[in-house]
Amino acid sequence: MPGTDADQPSDGKTTRRPCTCVIAHVQDDEDRAHVQSALDNALKTNDAQAVLVACMQLMQPCPARDEPVTR
């Protein structure tokens, strides 16, 4: 259930919440590398829709990614 102690990390640190946007944004370097690879592939294959989605994932502001982290 949301808001219970089970949702909290056991080490006492607050972690970033996941992106809940319609188009999921990158949250870390691993995600960024994956999306960048998809963008490179879309550019090579002239897939305009995939280019648009990858650019939106990389560039749009994200409330989950851009909020300060409390530790």
Side-chain angles (χ1 to χ4, degrees), residues 19-70:
C19 176
T20 56
C21 300
V22 173
I23 295 182
H25 299 103
V26 297
Q27 299 296 311
D28 55 25
D29 291 336
E30 183 179 342
D31 287 347
R32 182 172 301 283
H34 180 73
V35 172
Q36 185 64 50
S37 174
L39 176 59
D40 293 341
N41 185 51
L43 290 169
K44 288 178 187 174
T45 59
N46 294 323
D47 186 346
Q49 292 175 338
V51 169
L52 177 64
V53 170
C55 287
M56 290 176 71
Q57 286 179 301
L58 291 169
M59 292 192 224
Q60 293 293 321
C62 177
R65 179 186 61 208
D66 299 335
E67 72 183 7
V69 176
T70 307

Side-chain angles (χ1 to χ4, degrees), residues 2-15:
T4 63
D5 290 335
D7 292 338
Q8 301 299 323
S10 60
D11 61 2
K13 294 182 181 178
T14 303
T15 59

